[in-house]
Structures are given as C-alpha cells and as structure tokens.
Amino acid sequence: MQKPFSLKSYKDPNPDLVDKLVQRPGMTADHLDSVIDEVFQEVRKNGDDALLQYTERFDGIRLTNLNLGDEEKYGAIQKLSAPLKSAIDHAYENIRTFHQTQILEEKKIETDPGVMCWREARAIEKVGLYIPGGSAPLFSTVLMLGVPAQIAGCEQVILCTPPGRDGSIHPAILFAAEKCGIRNCYKLGGAQAIAAMVYGTTTIPAVYKIFGPGNQYVTAAKIRAQTLGVAIDLPAGPSEVLVYADQSARTSFIASDLLAQAEHGPDSQVVLVTTQNDLVETVSREINNQLKALPRANIAAAALQHAYACIFESKEEAFQFINQYAPEHLILSSDKSASLIPLIRNAGSVFIGNWTPESAGDYASGTNHTLPTSAFARASGGVSLDSFVKKITFQEISKKGLQRLGPTIIELAKNEELMAHAQSVQIRMNNL
Amino acid sequence: MQKPFSLKSYKDPNPDLVDKLVQRPGMTADHLDSVIDEVFQEVRKNGDDALLQYTERFDGIRLTNLNLGDEEKYGAIQKLSAPLKSAIDHAYENIRTFHQTQILEEKKIETDPGVMCWREARAIEKVGLYIPGGSAPLFSTVLMLGVPAQIAGCEQVILCTPPGRDGSIHPAILFAAEKCGIRNCYKLGGAQAIAAMVYGTTTIPAVYKIFGPGNQYVTAAKIRAQTLGVAIDLPAGPSEVLVYADQSARTSFIASDLLAQAEHGPDSQVVLVTTQNDLVETVSREINNQLKALPRANIAAAALQHAYACIFESKEEAFQFINQYAPEHLILSSDKSASLIPLIRNAGSVFIGNWTPESAGDYASGTNHTLPTSAFARASGGVSLDSFVKKITFQEISKKGLQRLGPTIIELAKNEELMAHAQSVQIRMNNL
C-alpha cells in the first residue's frame, strides 16, 4: 500500500445503511452450475478414472492410486517435527475435552399414563471430511472434524484432501487424522472429491454427510450434494471477525485480531464495532504498524479495503447491529463481558476479554472452528458433537395408555380426514 | 381394484436388489427450476402484489389482504367443536411435555487451566411455519412446529397457509396457532409463501428459518431458500412407513398401519419387513378386508401398487435392510423390542410393540411428526426443540491460561503459515 491505511467508519448508521453493511458476498455463483453439473456427471459415470483425470488437470499430478498406503502414511508422520506433534497433541486434548461435554443424556418421559417417549442418539455411520490443500495444510480442521466424529463413534470416517504437485499429503494432516482414528485418507480435492463422496466410486465410499471448508467450487458442490440427499455441515462463505471494543480495549490487540482475519483471503470480512469515537484512528495506526511485518501483507491489505468500523452511542445499539450482522467470530474486547453476553443473540463463537484472541478458538481452546458464516449464525450454530449424531424418537404405549390416548388420536385423525389413521387406533381399541 | 390386492414380496433379496428396493422417488424435478425462478423473481420484485396474484391464480380467491384480522380469527375459533378443541388440548400437552425434556444444560468446562469453554442456546429470532392447505387442514403440524418454537422462545413466529376458495383458514389451524402463541397467520400458500418468507414483503416479514411440509413446489422452493442463506427444517419427500413384524405381530394391526401410510398419497412409501414366511399373505388378505371401508381407498390402493414386503431369515439381516432403508417411521410389531432397539441405526421415529400405532406419533403421543424422509434419516433426526435454537460457543482465557496455551497456538498457526494468527497471540504474551 502506498498511503497509510485508514479503516472506513460509520457513526450511528441508519437502518438502510445497516442493511447494506451487513450484506456478505454471495457464496456461490450461477456460472459454477455448469461446472458442477459436468463434474458430478463425469464422476458418476466414470468413477475413479474421472477422479484421476481431474486430479491431473487441477492438482498437476498423475496418480495411479487415490489411496494412501500405510508405508507412505507412517513414513510421512515420522518426519513431523516434535514441537508440531506436541502442539497437535495439546490441541487434540482440549478439543476432545470440550466436545465431550456435549454428550447429554435425555430422560424418558411418560407424557400420558402408559405413554413412554424418549430420544436416543446414534452416530451417523458414514461421514466424509474434506480438508482443503494449497500452500498451507489445514491440519487444524482435521482435528475440528475428526475429534467429534471420533467421540460420536461414526463407523466409517473418510478424509479427502488434494495432493501436492509431488503427489503427497502434508504429514501434519496425516498425523492429525491418525490421532482421530481416521483410517482412510484419499488424495483427492475439489468438486470431484465431493461428487465422489456423494456417488461412491471403486476407491471412494459414498457417505451420508460431508463436512469441511473449501473454495467456491467445493462449496457449490456441497450445496449440490445437499439437493441429492447427502447432508452437509454448513455452507461455508468467506471467514469473518467482528470485534466489539469499549474503553477497556487495547488497540494493539484489536489490530492484531483484525489482521489475523484479514490474512485468510482478500474476501475475508473484518468489522470493528465500538462505542469509542477515537478508537478507529488509533486502531488504523496500529494496523499500519503491524501490517508491514506480515508475510501475507498483500492479502490482508486487500481484505482491509472492504473492512469497516461502526461507532454507536450505546452498547445496546452496538449489539443490535452485531445481532443483525451475526458474525462467525465475535471478539468482546471489554472487561465488562458479563453484561454483554446476555445481549448476544446471533454469533458463531465468542471470544471474551482482552486475553482471548480468535486464534485460540481457531486452534486450541477446545471450541470448534467450523462455524456459520454469511449471517447463517442467525439460524445455526457451528459444528459440534451434535453434527455427527442424529436423534431418533421412540414411543411405547401400553394397553392402558392407548385406552386413554386413543380417542384423542381418533378425533384428530377424523378431522384431518385420515380415516385409515383413525382405523389403526380403533382396530387396536376393539382388541383391548 | 378389480382383483384382490396382494403385496409384492422378496425373500432374502441380494445386495443389488436391496440397493434398488431402498430407492425413493426424487424429491424435486429439474422442470420445477424455472417455475421456482419465476416465483422468486416476481415476489422479490413485486412483493404483496405478486402474492395476491399468485393466490388468485392457484387458490382461486382474490384477496385484498393476506393478513388475518383478530375478529376473523376469534370468530372462526369460536365455531370449533368442543371435542376437537379438547383433543387438540390433549395433544398440545403431550407434545409440550415431551419437547420440554429436550431442554438440556451443558456445563462450562476448563479445558486447560485458565481456559473456560461453554455453549449457550439462543432461540432463532424469526421463524416461519408453512402449513399445507387443501381438503384436509393439517392442524397437527401447527402443533408439531408451534410447540417447540414456543418452548424455545422464538421472538417472531409466523404461519403461512393457503386460504380455501372462500378465503378462509380452517378454524382448527387458527386454534392450534393460538395455543402456540403464534400471533401472525397469513393466507398464503405454495412456492410464493416460501419466497415471501425469504425476501420479506410489506405484509410478510422475512425469516431466518422455514419449517413445514408441502407439495413438490413448496419443497423445491425450500431447497432454493436454503441456497439463498435461509435455513430449512428438512427437505420433505413422500411419507414412509416400514413395519417390522415377527411371530408376535398381529396381522390386522399391521394391515391397518400399512393402510394408514398408504392413504397419505399415491406416492406414499409402504414397506413390510418380516422374519415370518406366511405373514405376507395373511397381511395382504387383511388389507383387502380393511381397504373397502376407507374413504380414501383409491389413494391407498395406488400407493399399495409400489408397496412391498421383504422376508429375511434372521432379525439381524432384517435390521441390516431396515438401516439401509432408513425409514421415516419404523413400527416394531414385536413383543421383543428390547432386543431390537440396539439394532436400529437409522430411522426417524420408532413405534414399539403392538399397541403403538404410527398415528399415535402423528398426533398425540408427544413426539414430533416432522421427520426425515427419503433415507435422510441416515444423517438427520426429525424436528425437535434443537431445530428452533442454535448453540453459540464461548471461551474466556485468563492471563495464566494464555501463558500456557499461547505457545501451542503459535506453533500451530506458524505451521499453517498464518503469521498474523500467531502474532495476535504473541502481542498479548508480550504484554503479560
């Protein structure tokens, strides 16, 4: 950047402006439809052959096998540095500890005398994890998806990730997968990986639910998978942070949090909300200071071009905006968080106080980093143990219970003009 | 039907045949895409005008107002019969009792010394319930969606249902809505109702999540809504029952359960799985006996044309089939259910023993009747209290906690080549 960066800011934006400010870039574009059509048709028709051809075209490597042998796997894992191994171990333990709190027993209940109702959780049997490739290996995402799958007890967990140009998978991905008990890792990326997990091929088994982030092709493919009856975790748009800062905030910390989000990609969403008039200028200055030292300064600078700040008179107005925005990550740079938490209606994950950077949740505090973007936090939470199980309802009615409940069912069924429904109760009552 | 009905049956079907048998009809068809395109564009552009025009075209009534006035509402409710009111009251209480067991508190956990993590549930603020119209008013679905929305505490709950040719809404729908505290009921059906809840119009507010069943247009519109960032409950295909019967089953009960499912529509999915060779014939005979008396005999007979039975040697083989099928409703016509429940991996709702007809869960046992169809039970449960809340994760790290966790986060971030992430921790550690 030639001239110093200065964060755009809006003071007390009116509702029309707020409506515009909370908009996010679209998650998919119509022009991807025909690409996705083609990839899905090809994979369905030609299976592994199609996968090997796409991998050659997009990843620049002609593989003979999408599978990773044990020798290759354990050889790679051996090369991993001890500090990285122990950091992954530490993150794994925290993620495991937190997700285990999500195992909850529901009690059976007698809704009417003789009418027992309850739910039981069952692991989703077959799940597929997609891990993006590229320059940086997202081994942290392996933990975020692999740990809850392991706790849930999913029977078949597979992992697809694009190979490097040398045909290898980064050892940290393999080590994280190994810790999570994932036996099958495939060298396969892009929309073709999603199509393979939908239809199944000789090598890649079809799954019931697909998890994991990816580029716009992967996202479009996951949305397609959903229309074909395969569940997905969340539609993933560009990553977002919204920092709320009051007078107790530290500007250098805030700047570092905004930059951490900005370095993800030019489309990263970076927002500062504050009750302090003078904060925007000091944060801008800090961003300039810190930006220079970053290897991904160009990416961060591009994202900061569409970043902005909003200044509100009160915390109540600030949180009205925040809830309408519904950020993926919400940082509370405040020493008064106890009064703020009840104001939060919509957010993916919340980072409380000056000593809780978003990176903590990205990697190692224990919470999940697969979170709702693009305002989807208005309707949905992030990935959790719940994402890997489904709950089946059960009911068991005794003769006495049916005697009591039967007339109600018959009255309701008759009024919905479903006489066979009424009859299935009547015929039992006649036999009591 | 001219000649007596006989249920098709397959003994020990091989895997290829099983793959075919578990197929369901597609939920949407490509030819609906252009209709949905048009409706969504029109509603987005012309708002209420478009809604009034579609209502005239499809529901045969020219309304001046989509809104229902208090006078009209309470006038209608007054006309409702006392027995129906009290049956709705009874069902409401049971549904409420069961869904209240789904309120579960998760505990805060210290994943590392000084690192607190937890989740908090928040109600989805704006939800829209779609209730199909037609000859029979589905007031039971109002309860199934309205009760959990009420328990969750959703701030704005709206209901859309198509008006009759006289412009009215069935009083039972209004009474059920009133019990669930739903203040805004709109006379609006079809894909246009879904589009209105996505975009919002002068009369209809936009919502964050849309619930409820409907015809193929409504389903296609809900799938479209999802791609536009509005959450949906479940994609709804034709309704299904699978009855598992052993030697303790009563053939007349089984026949009545199969017919209850068959009367929903010609596309209803009706399957019998049994370990008893002779059961299929006796059940077929019973179906013939009971069918004659049904007002919807033609619909049921049409559905029975593609119904079938599978006979297996053992209960283990039977449940392998059942889990692959993943039925919406699973009836266990058996007095040995305790040994069967652990075999169930995939099902929406389970009805145990000879005195628990599916109709009980359709109306009044307390469990939810909005359930996964089309094998979606492999990956997803039915609607519950969980469907109306989202869980936000929180983390709060003390200085001591960051001191311990910081080096791990920095190691992981550096290896993912995200230096600004590492920096946001380092800058805090420098200030400890």
Side-chain angles (χ1 to χ4, degrees):
Chain A
M1 285 194 301
Q2 302 303 307
K3 55 175 184 176
F5 168 75
S6 171
L7 196 59
K8 266 191 294 288
S9 78
Y10 305 93
K11 191 156 164 58
D12 296 316
N14 64 39
D16 283 346
L17 179 55
V18 168
D19 282 347
K20 288 203 187 81
L21 288 173
V22 304
Q23 293 294 324
R24 317 287 217 285
M27 269 185 295
T28 62
D30 287 345
H31 73 269
L32 296 181
D33 278 355
S34 59
V35 181
I36 300 299
D37 279 346
E38 190 214 292
V39 171
F40 274 62
Q41 274 171 35
E42 272 297 305
V43 170
R44 188 179 199 176
K45 209 172 111 194
N46 297 319
D48 284 348
D49 283 347
L51 300 178
L52 292 168
Q53 275 174 33
Y54 281 122
T55 302
E56 184 169 15
R57 196 188 324 163
F58 296 122
D59 303 302
I61 170 85
R62 179 74 208 178
L63 300 171
T64 48
N65 197 343
L66 298 163
N67 234 316
L68 195 82
D70 273 0
E71 204 178 326
E72 188 179 352
K73 179 159 75 175
Y74 295 109
I77 288 175
Q78 286 256 320
K79 285 185 230 143
L80 204 63
S81 80
L84 181 51
K85 268 189 186 165
S86 98
I88 291 175
D89 285 342
H90 189 181
Y92 174 89
E93 288 306 327
N94 286 358
I95 297 165
R96 194 169 170 92
T97 301
F98 178 61
H99 286 76
Q100 266 169 338
T101 66
Q102 295 163 5
I103 305 172
L104 296 171
E105 274 295 310
E106 285 169 43
K107 57 178 200 287
K108 289 193 183 191
I109 190 142
E110 200 165 10
T111 54
D112 241 341
V115 181
M116 292 301 305
C117 296
W118 69 97
R119 292 203 295 178
E120 293 183 21
R122 295 283 192 277
I124 300 172
E125 287 175 275
K126 302 176 186 189
V127 301
L129 314 184
Y130 184 82
I131 306 298
S135 55
L138 293 187
F139 51 81
S140 60
T141 303
V142 179
L143 297 178
M144 294 295 174
L145 303 175
V147 170
Q150 188 177 31
I151 296 172
C154 298
E155 206 172 283
Q156 184 171 38
V157 184
I158 66 165
L159 186 156
C160 290
T161 190
R165 291 198 159 262
D166 62 351
S168 74
I169 297 180
H170 194 283
I173 288 181
L174 298 173
F175 178 67
E178 185 70 11
K179 283 198 72 82
C180 299
I182 300 168
R183 273 186 301 264
N184 293 303
C185 295
Y186 301 101
K187 299 174 179 177
L188 183 63
Q192 61 273 21
I194 308 301
M197 292 192 276
V198 168
Y199 295 124
T201 69
T202 309
T203 304
I204 315 287
V207 301
Y208 299 155
K209 189 168 184 177
I210 298 172
F211 294 79
N215 61 21
Q216 56 177 351
Y217 292 97
V218 170
T219 298
K222 281 173 68 186
I223 290 172
R224 177 67 58 90
Q226 204 171 26
T227 69
L228 295 168
V230 176
I232 67 169
D233 51 352
L234 288 164
S239 190
E240 310 159 352
V241 75
L242 189 152
V243 176
Y244 170 81
D246 66 15
Q247 66 285 354
S248 63
R250 303 220 188 175
T251 50
S252 64
F253 296 3
I254 295 173
S256 76
D257 290 329
L258 298 177
L259 284 166
Q261 191 55 242
E263 78 170 338
H264 272 297
D267 57 0
S268 287
Q269 307 289 307
V270 174
V271 181
L272 172 64
V273 170
T274 181
T275 49
Q276 309 304 107
N277 272 309
D278 51 354
L279 194 79
V280 179
E281 203 189 311
T282 51
V283 168
S284 292
R285 213 173 305 138
E286 266 294 332
I287 288 176
N288 282 299
N289 289 344
Q290 294 181 25
L291 186 59
K292 294 170 204 139
L294 293 178
R296 292 164 73 97
N298 285 341
I299 293 173
L304 288 170
Q305 288 309 309
H306 54 88
Y308 63 86
C310 284
I311 305 157
F312 292 96
E313 292 290 330
S314 69
K315 66 173 192 276
E316 287 74 20
E317 288 163 284
F319 275 85
Q320 206 177 329
F321 175 88
I322 291 167
N323 286 324
Q324 193 175 339
Y325 188 92
E328 181 190 15
H329 304 99
L330 171 60
I331 299 178
L332 302 181
S333 295
S334 166
D335 53 11
K336 299 196 178 49
S337 60
S339 70
L340 302 177
I341 291 171
L343 300 178
I344 300 170
R345 304 287 300 263
N346 301 323
S349 193
V350 183
F351 303 81
I352 299 171
N354 288 316
W355 307 99
T356 314
E358 188 206 301
S359 325
D362 289 341
Y363 288 109
S365 64
T367 63
N368 209 291
H369 80 191
T370 307
L371 296 165
T373 56
S374 306
F376 210 63
R378 294 168 183 164
S380 174
V383 164
S384 69
L385 182 62
D386 309 337
S387 313
F388 292 87
V389 301
K390 60 234 154 58
K391 291 185 176 169
I392 301 174
T393 50
F394 290 84
Q395 51 246 288
E396 182 161 22
I397 304 180
S398 67
K399 288 187 186 184
K400 200 185 77 184
L402 191 67
Q403 203 143 29
R404 190 182 145 87
L405 195 59
T408 289
I409 304 170
I410 291 171
E411 175 71 17
L412 296 171
K414 279 186 178 167
N415 276 282
E416 287 195 353
E417 294 171 30
L418 294 170
M419 296 308 292
H421 282 63
Q423 181 61 17
S424 69
V425 176
Q426 192 61 61
I427 203 168
R428 283 169 167 93
M429 292 186 74
N430 296 345
N431 280 277
L432 280 173
Chain B
M1 284 191 300
Q2 301 305 307
K3 54 174 186 176
F5 168 76
S6 171
L7 194 59
K8 266 190 295 286
S9 77
Y10 306 92
K11 193 159 162 57
D12 296 316
N14 65 38
D16 283 345
L17 179 55
V18 168
D19 283 345
K20 287 205 186 80
L21 288 173
V22 303
Q23 294 294 324
R24 318 287 218 283
M27 272 186 293
T28 62
D30 287 343
H31 74 269
L32 296 180
D33 278 354
S34 59
V35 181
I36 300 299
D37 280 345
E38 190 214 291
V39 172
F40 273 62
Q41 275 170 34
E42 272 296 305
V43 172
R44 187 177 200 178
K45 208 171 112 195
N46 298 318
D48 283 349
D49 284 346
L51 300 179
L52 292 168
Q53 275 175 33
Y54 281 122
T55 303
E56 185 169 15
R57 195 186 327 163
F58 296 122
D59 302 304
I61 171 83
R62 179 75 208 177
L63 299 172
T64 49
N65 196 343
L66 299 163
N67 234 317
L68 195 82
D70 272 1
E71 205 178 324
E72 188 178 353
K73 179 160 77 177
Y74 295 111
I77 289 175
Q78 286 256 319
K79 284 185 232 143
L80 204 64
S81 80
L84 181 51
K85 268 189 186 166
S86 97
I88 291 175
D89 285 340
H90 190 182
Y92 173 90
E93 289 305 327
N94 286 357
I95 297 165
R96 195 170 169 91
T97 302
F98 178 61
H99 286 75
Q100 267 169 338
T101 66
Q102 295 163 5
I103 304 173
L104 296 170
E105 274 294 312
E106 286 171 40
K107 57 179 199 287
K108 289 193 181 190
I109 190 141
E110 200 165 10
T111 53
D112 241 341
V115 181
M116 292 301 306
C117 297
W118 69 99
R119 290 204 297 178
E120 292 183 20
R122 295 283 191 278
I124 300 173
E125 286 175 274
K126 304 175 187 191
V127 301
L129 315 184
Y130 183 83
I131 306 297
S135 54
L138 292 187
F139 51 81
S140 60
T141 303
V142 179
L143 297 178
M144 294 296 175
L145 302 176
V147 170
Q150 189 176 30
I151 297 172
C154 299
E155 205 171 282
Q156 185 171 38
V157 184
I158 66 167
L159 186 155
C160 289
T161 190
R165 291 199 160 262
D166 62 351
S168 73
I169 298 179
H170 194 283
I173 287 181
L174 298 173
F175 178 68
E178 184 70 10
K179 282 197 74 81
C180 300
I182 300 168
R183 273 186 301 264
N184 293 303
C185 294
Y186 301 100
K187 298 174 179 177
L188 182 63
Q192 60 272 24
I194 307 301
M197 293 193 275
V198 167
Y199 295 124
T201 69
T202 309
T203 304
I204 314 289
V207 301
Y208 298 155
K209 189 167 182 177
I210 298 171
F211 294 80
N215 62 21
Q216 56 177 351
Y217 292 97
V218 171
T219 297
K222 281 174 67 186
I223 290 171
R224 178 67 56 93
Q226 204 171 27
T227 69
L228 296 167
V230 176
I232 66 168
D233 52 351
L234 289 164
S239 190
E240 311 158 353
V241 74
L242 189 151
V243 176
Y244 170 81
D246 65 15
Q247 66 284 355
S248 63
R250 303 222 188 174
T251 51
S252 65
F253 296 3
I254 295 173
S256 75
D257 290 328
L258 298 177
L259 283 166
Q261 191 55 243
E263 77 170 337
H264 272 297
D267 57 1
S268 287
Q269 306 290 306
V270 174
V271 181
L272 173 64
V273 170
T274 181
T275 48
Q276 308 304 109
N277 272 310
D278 50 353
L279 193 78
V280 179
E281 202 189 312
T282 53
V283 168
S284 293
R285 214 176 304 138
E286 265 295 333
I287 288 176
N288 283 299
N289 290 343
Q290 295 181 24
L291 187 59
K292 293 170 207 141
L294 293 178
R296 292 164 73 97
N298 285 340
I299 293 173
L304 289 169
Q305 288 309 309
H306 52 87
Y308 63 88
C310 283
I311 305 155
F312 293 97
E313 292 289 330
S314 69
K315 66 172 191 276
E316 287 74 20
E317 288 163 284
F319 276 84
Q320 206 176 330
F321 175 88
I322 291 168
N323 287 324
Q324 192 174 340
Y325 188 92
E328 181 190 15
H329 304 99
L330 171 60
I331 299 177
L332 303 180
S333 295
S334 166
D335 53 11
K336 297 195 179 53
S337 61
S339 70
L340 302 178
I341 291 172
L343 300 178
I344 300 170
R345 303 289 298 262
N346 302 322
S349 194
V350 182
F351 302 80
I352 299 170
N354 288 316
W355 306 98
T356 313
E358 188 206 303
S359 326
D362 290 340
Y363 288 110
S365 64
T367 63
N368 210 290
H369 80 193
T370 308
L371 295 165
T373 55
S374 306
F376 209 64
R378 294 167 182 163
S380 176
V383 164
S384 69
L385 182 62
D386 310 336
S387 313
F388 292 87
V389 301
K390 61 233 154 56
K391 291 186 178 170
I392 301 175
T393 50
F394 290 85
Q395 50 247 289
E396 182 162 22
I397 305 180
S398 67
K399 288 187 184 183
K400 200 184 77 183
L402 192 66
Q403 203 142 30
R404 192 183 143 85
L405 195 59
T408 290
I409 303 170
I410 291 171
E411 176 71 18
L412 296 171
K414 279 185 177 166
N415 278 281
E416 286 195 355
E417 294 171 29
L418 294 171
M419 296 308 292
H421 282 64
Q423 181 61 18
S424 70
V425 177
Q426 191 62 61
I427 202 167
R428 283 170 165 91
M429 292 188 73
N430 296 345
N431 280 277
L432 280 173

